[in-house]
Amino acid sequence: MNDLGFDRHRRLRRSASMRALVRETHLRTEDLIYPIFVLEEEGQKNEVPSMPGVYQISLDRLAEEMDEVVALGIRAVLLFGIPKVKDAVGSEAYNDEGIIQQATRFIKENYPNVLVVADTCLCEYTDHGHCGVIHDHFVHNDESLPLLVQTAVSQAKAGADIIAPSNMMDGFVAAIRQGLDEAGFENIPIMSYAIKYASAFYGPFRDAVGSTPQFGDRKTYQMDPANRLEAQREAESDIMEGADFLIVKPAMTYLDIIREVRDRFNLPVVAYNVSGEFSMVKAAAQNGWIDEQQIVLEKLTSMKRAGADLIITYFAKDVAKWLQQ
């Protein structure tokens, strides 16, 4: 403190080199997980209308996407499947020849150093768009668990490195952990969607995979956005059941939750920068209202600053390019 009674904080902001020297939070390409929508068709690369630059990609064109992912240094992808046929129990999710199983085998055979994270849910595969078995317009928790276990085991058999269950059924981590262990996959970790809010930010994703519920909503199994303490209970339960990573979804409006999870638990924390967060930035940038690169880097850095170790983001390829620059 000087004679005038104030500190000279600006000394450490005088130049770009000085600011870089004292920077507390760093965003790296290695922090990013890139979601890919794999379509059970042939010769297709269809841009998602509400997600500019994001595509539904058929298996025979997946190499184009993976070549770019590898060239950019992205080390992990999160796979979502879009099957030809959907039914009431999402049977294509646990079909050993299903689209995600085929995509996983393709990636592991041709890009063995890329980690495959398999989304383990039924909503993309059910004709009603919900994440489990339906009785009287209600998702039946315990009847859904065996189907999720079958899905996880099938994905692990195909070569998935990480199982990422996103269904928000009570007990899903315990059931999947037991199922994986009994099938001989005790070394496959679970990246649990431990804290998943019933958010309005998921709309563009549901366009991408056709998973909009045909009746009702998901508020009986996804969390109330107003609740903070419930998030800690959900995370604690998943840890006790055997989770290896904790996902907080969405990320941008739940940075307080990310910070509390980071402070309380010692597992890797994953922020999911969801589709609505992505599309808002893209729309504003296309209208010339914001600087997309600066906004995205600031936003993802805030997730790291809040305590996230990893970030699932549709911006992963863009960010990797910007970081290389």
Side-chain angles (χ1 to χ4, degrees), residues 128-146:
H128 47 72
H130 280 283
C131 302
V133 176
I134 299 294
H135 286 306
D136 298 322
H137 282 205
F138 188 80
V139 179
H140 195 286
N141 192 93
D142 294 5
E143 284 190 26
S144 302
L145 293 178

Side-chain angles (χ1 to χ4, degrees), residues 14-158:
R14 289 177 52 241
S15 67
S17 296
M18 183 70 75
R19 293 190 296 272
L21 182 68
V22 298
R23 185 162 295 137
E24 300 173 26
T25 303
H26 297 273
L27 180 65
R28 308 175 306 154
T29 302
E30 292 85 354
D31 302 330
L32 307 176
I33 301 173
Y34 182 56
I36 299 177
F37 301 113
V38 189
L39 183 65
E40 195 174 16
E41 300 284 351
E42 292 184 0
Q44 300 295 311
K45 185 175 182 181
N46 308 321
E47 188 171 30
V48 180
S50 56
M51 300 179 70
V54 173
Y55 297 86
Q56 300 172 332
I57 301 172
S58 58
L59 188 62
D60 59 345
R61 297 192 63 177
L62 185 56
E64 301 171 25
E65 187 81 337
M66 290 306 303
D67 286 345
E68 185 177 11
V69 165
V70 170
L72 290 170
I74 296 169
R75 297 184 178 182
V77 294
L78 172 61
L79 299 184
F80 296 97
I82 308 169
K84 286 182 180 179
V85 178
K86 302 187 179 190
D87 59 28
V89 293
S91 58
E92 283 300 304
Y94 40 91
N95 178 357
D96 287 347
E97 295 303 320
I99 185 59
I100 286 304
Q101 288 80 353
Q102 293 183 57
T104 299
R105 285 194 290 268
F106 173 81
I107 293 172
K108 296 310 297 181
E109 288 169 3
N110 295 280
Y111 308 90
N113 293 326
V114 175
L115 291 173
V116 172
V117 185
D119 178 75
T120 306
C121 196
L122 301 178
C123 64
E124 300 128 76
Y125 305 91
T126 56
D127 52 15
H128 47 72
H130 280 283
C131 302
V133 176
I134 299 294
H135 286 306
D136 298 322
H137 282 205
F138 188 80
V139 179
H140 195 286
N141 192 93
D142 294 5
E143 284 190 26
S144 302
L145 293 178
L147 303 185
L148 295 165
V149 172
Q150 289 183 54
T151 302
V153 171
S154 179
Q155 292 169 338
K157 285 167 58 179

Side-chain angles (χ1 to χ4, degrees), residues 176-193:
I176 290 172
R177 183 71 273 160
Q178 180 179 352
L180 289 171
D181 291 353
E182 290 177 352
F185 297 109
E186 64 275 0
N187 291 322
I188 297 297
I190 295 175
M191 182 181 286
S192 172
Y193 287 68

